[in-house]
Amino acid sequence: MRRELFLVGFLILVSPWTAFSQTSILGQWKTIDDKTGDVKSIVEISERNGEYFGKIIKIFPKKGQNPDPICDKCPDDDPRKNKKIIGMEIIRNMKKDGEEYTGGKVLKPDEGDIYRCKIWTENGNLKVRGYLGFFYRTQTWLKVN
Protein backbone atom coordinates (compact mmCIF):
# COMPACT_ATOMS: atom_id res chain seq x y z
CA MET A 1 0.00 0.00 0.00
CA ARG A 2 2.86 2.40 0.80
CA ARG A 3 4.47 1.70 -2.55
CA GLU A 4 1.24 2.46 -4.42
CA LEU A 5 0.78 5.72 -2.52
CA PHE A 6 4.37 6.71 -3.25
CA LEU A 7 3.89 5.97 -6.95
CA VAL A 8 0.64 7.98 -7.12
CA GLY A 9 2.30 10.90 -5.30
CA PHE A 10 5.31 10.77 -7.61
CA LEU A 11 3.12 10.79 -10.73
CA ILE A 12 1.11 13.73 -9.42
CA LEU A 13 4.32 15.72 -8.87
CA VAL A 14 6.01 14.81 -12.16
CA SER A 15 3.06 15.02 -14.58
CA PRO A 16 2.81 18.85 -14.72
CA TRP A 17 6.45 19.12 -15.85
CA THR A 18 6.12 16.46 -18.51
CA ALA A 19 2.87 17.95 -19.80
CA PHE A 20 4.50 21.34 -20.31
CA SER A 21 7.90 20.17 -21.55
CA GLN A 22 8.62 21.51 -24.99
CA THR A 23 10.01 19.48 -27.85
CA SER A 24 13.15 21.07 -29.28
CA ILE A 25 12.87 22.50 -32.79
CA LEU A 26 16.44 21.36 -33.48
CA GLY A 27 16.91 18.33 -35.69
CA GLN A 28 15.31 16.94 -38.82
CA TRP A 29 11.66 17.42 -39.77
CA LYS A 30 9.48 16.03 -42.57
CA THR A 31 7.65 18.88 -44.25
CA ILE A 32 4.05 18.07 -45.03
CA ASP A 33 2.12 20.02 -47.66
CA ASP A 34 -0.88 21.50 -45.85
CA LYS A 35 -3.05 21.26 -48.98
CA THR A 36 -2.23 17.74 -50.23
CA GLY A 37 -0.84 16.00 -47.14
CA ASP A 38 2.19 14.86 -49.19
CA VAL A 39 5.67 14.67 -47.66
CA LYS A 40 7.66 17.28 -49.56
CA SER A 41 11.12 17.35 -47.98
CA ILE A 42 13.26 16.93 -44.91
CA VAL A 43 14.49 20.15 -43.30
CA GLU A 44 17.26 20.21 -40.73
CA ILE A 45 16.97 23.00 -38.16
CA SER A 46 20.13 24.17 -36.41
CA GLU A 47 21.19 27.02 -34.15
CA ARG A 48 23.96 29.53 -34.87
CA ASN A 49 24.79 32.43 -32.55
CA GLY A 50 21.39 32.34 -30.88
CA GLU A 51 19.42 32.25 -34.15
CA TYR A 52 17.74 29.28 -35.81
CA PHE A 53 18.04 28.23 -39.44
CA GLY A 54 16.53 25.44 -41.51
CA LYS A 55 17.99 23.84 -44.61
CA ILE A 56 16.52 21.30 -47.01
CA ILE A 57 18.56 18.09 -46.88
CA LYS A 58 16.26 15.84 -48.91
CA ILE A 59 13.27 16.21 -51.22
CA PHE A 60 10.57 13.78 -52.28
CA PRO A 61 9.71 14.70 -55.87
CA LYS A 62 6.56 13.33 -57.46
CA LYS A 63 6.93 11.01 -60.43
CA GLY A 64 8.14 13.03 -63.40
CA GLN A 65 9.49 15.93 -61.31
CA ASN A 66 13.15 16.91 -61.33
CA PRO A 67 14.90 15.05 -58.47
CA ASP A 68 17.47 17.86 -58.10
CA PRO A 69 15.60 21.12 -58.85
CA ILE A 70 16.80 24.70 -58.66
CA CYS A 71 14.97 27.67 -57.21
CA ASP A 72 14.08 29.30 -60.53
CA LYS A 73 11.06 31.04 -58.95
CA CYS A 74 13.06 32.70 -56.16
CA PRO A 75 13.01 36.51 -56.35
CA ASP A 76 15.61 37.96 -58.71
CA ASP A 77 17.29 39.90 -55.89
CA ASP A 78 17.59 36.80 -53.66
CA PRO A 79 21.02 35.10 -53.72
CA ARG A 80 19.20 31.73 -53.71
CA LYS A 81 17.85 32.41 -57.21
CA ASN A 82 18.80 29.54 -59.57
CA LYS A 83 20.57 27.61 -56.78
CA LYS A 84 19.90 23.96 -55.96
CA ILE A 85 17.03 23.44 -53.54
CA ILE A 86 18.75 20.51 -51.84
CA GLY A 87 21.12 22.16 -49.36
CA MET A 88 19.23 25.48 -49.53
CA GLU A 89 18.57 27.42 -46.33
CA ILE A 90 14.83 28.11 -46.36
CA ILE A 91 14.40 29.27 -42.74
CA ARG A 92 16.54 32.17 -41.58
CA ASN A 93 17.15 34.30 -38.50
CA MET A 94 14.51 32.86 -36.16
CA LYS A 95 14.88 33.90 -32.51
CA LYS A 96 13.46 32.16 -29.46
CA ASP A 97 10.62 34.21 -28.00
CA GLY A 98 9.18 32.35 -25.02
CA GLU A 99 7.71 29.09 -26.34
CA GLU A 100 7.83 30.30 -29.96
CA TYR A 101 10.47 31.26 -32.50
CA THR A 102 9.83 34.49 -34.40
CA GLY A 103 11.49 37.34 -36.27
CA GLY A 104 12.76 35.33 -39.22
CA LYS A 105 11.67 34.39 -42.70
CA VAL A 106 10.76 31.18 -44.51
CA LEU A 107 11.12 30.61 -48.25
CA LYS A 108 8.76 28.37 -50.21
CA PRO A 109 11.18 27.50 -53.03
CA ASP A 110 8.65 25.85 -55.34
CA GLU A 111 6.72 29.14 -55.45
CA GLY A 112 9.56 31.58 -54.76
CA ASP A 113 7.62 33.30 -51.99
CA ILE A 114 9.27 34.55 -48.79
CA TYR A 115 7.09 34.84 -45.68
CA ARG A 116 7.49 36.24 -42.18
CA CYS A 117 7.61 33.18 -39.97
CA LYS A 118 6.62 31.84 -36.58
CA ILE A 119 7.53 28.35 -35.34
CA TRP A 120 6.41 26.41 -32.27
CA THR A 121 6.00 22.83 -31.16
CA GLU A 122 2.70 21.16 -30.47
CA ASN A 123 2.20 17.50 -29.48
CA GLY A 124 5.76 16.65 -30.58
CA ASN A 125 5.24 18.18 -34.03
CA LEU A 126 6.60 21.41 -35.45
CA LYS A 127 4.14 24.11 -36.48
CA VAL A 128 5.50 26.46 -39.14
CA ARG A 129 3.37 29.48 -39.96
CA GLY A 130 4.16 31.82 -42.82
CA TYR A 131 2.61 35.30 -42.93
CA LEU A 132 2.01 37.44 -45.99
CA GLY A 133 0.38 40.63 -44.76
CA PHE A 134 -2.62 39.63 -42.64
CA PHE A 135 -2.90 36.23 -44.30
CA TYR A 136 -1.11 33.12 -43.10
CA ARG A 137 -0.75 29.40 -43.67
CA THR A 138 0.36 26.86 -41.11
CA GLN A 139 2.05 23.56 -41.84
CA THR A 140 2.63 20.71 -39.42
CA TRP A 141 6.05 19.09 -39.78
CA LEU A 142 6.84 15.69 -38.29
CA LYS A 143 10.01 14.82 -36.38
CA VAL A 144 12.37 12.44 -38.21
CA ASN A 145 13.57 9.71 -35.87
Side-chain angles (χ1 to χ4, degrees), residues 15-72:
S15 61
W17 283 278
T18 57
F20 294 110
S21 66
Q22 181 182 15
T23 303
S24 172
I25 70 166
L26 298 176
Q28 296 180 2
W29 299 89
K30 282 185 199 174
T31 68
I32 309 295
D33 187 292
D34 57 310
K35 292 181 179 175
T36 66
D38 294 337
V39 176
K40 302 278 283 183
S41 65
I42 295 179
V43 172
E44 185 169 52
I45 298 181
S46 60
E47 183 265 336
R48 289 193 314 260
N49 301 321
E51 293 186 334
Y52 297 81
F53 299 83
K55 125 175 125 172
I56 295 176
I57 61 171
K58 183 176 183 176
I59 62 169
F60 299 94
K62 291 182 180 178
K63 189 174 183 176
Q65 288 182 327
N66 184 351
D68 194 15
I70 61 168
C71 191
D72 55 354

Side-chain angles (χ1 to χ4, degrees), residues 19-140:
F20 294 110
S21 66
Q22 181 182 15
T23 303
S24 172
I25 70 166
L26 298 176
Q28 296 180 2
W29 299 89
K30 282 185 199 174
T31 68
I32 309 295
D33 187 292
D34 57 310
K35 292 181 179 175
T36 66
D38 294 337
V39 176
K40 302 278 283 183
S41 65
I42 295 179
V43 172
E44 185 169 52
I45 298 181
S46 60
E47 183 265 336
R48 289 193 314 260
N49 301 321
E51 293 186 334
Y52 297 81
F53 299 83
K55 125 175 125 172
I56 295 176
I57 61 171
K58 183 176 183 176
I59 62 169
F60 299 94
K62 291 182 180 178
K63 189 174 183 176
Q65 288 182 327
N66 184 351
D68 194 15
I70 61 168
C71 191
D72 55 354
K73 294 182 180 169
C74 285
D76 289 334
D77 61 345
D78 192 306
R80 296 171 286 195
K81 173 83 173 176
N82 293 322
K83 301 287 192 257
K84 289 184 181 266
I85 290 175
I86 298 173
M88 181 175 286
E89 200 170 73
I90 62 164
I91 297 174
R92 292 183 166 171
N93 307 107
M94 302 299 294
K95 295 176 185 75
K96 187 163 177 45
D97 182 16
E99 298 296 312
E100 300 176 339
Y101 298 78
T102 61
K105 306 267 182 169
V106 62
L107 165 71
K108 194 164 186 330
D110 56 341
E111 295 176 4
D113 294 325
I114 300 172
Y115 302 93
R116 287 180 300 113
C117 186
K118 177 167 86 171
I119 298 174
W120 70 96
T121 59
E122 188 175 290
N123 299 323
N125 298 319
L126 195 67
K127 296 289 189 168
V128 179
R129 179 171 289 169
Y131 293 90
L132 190 58
F134 295 109
F135 301 100
Y136 64 86
R137 282 177 53 191
T138 305
Q139 290 186 343
T140 299

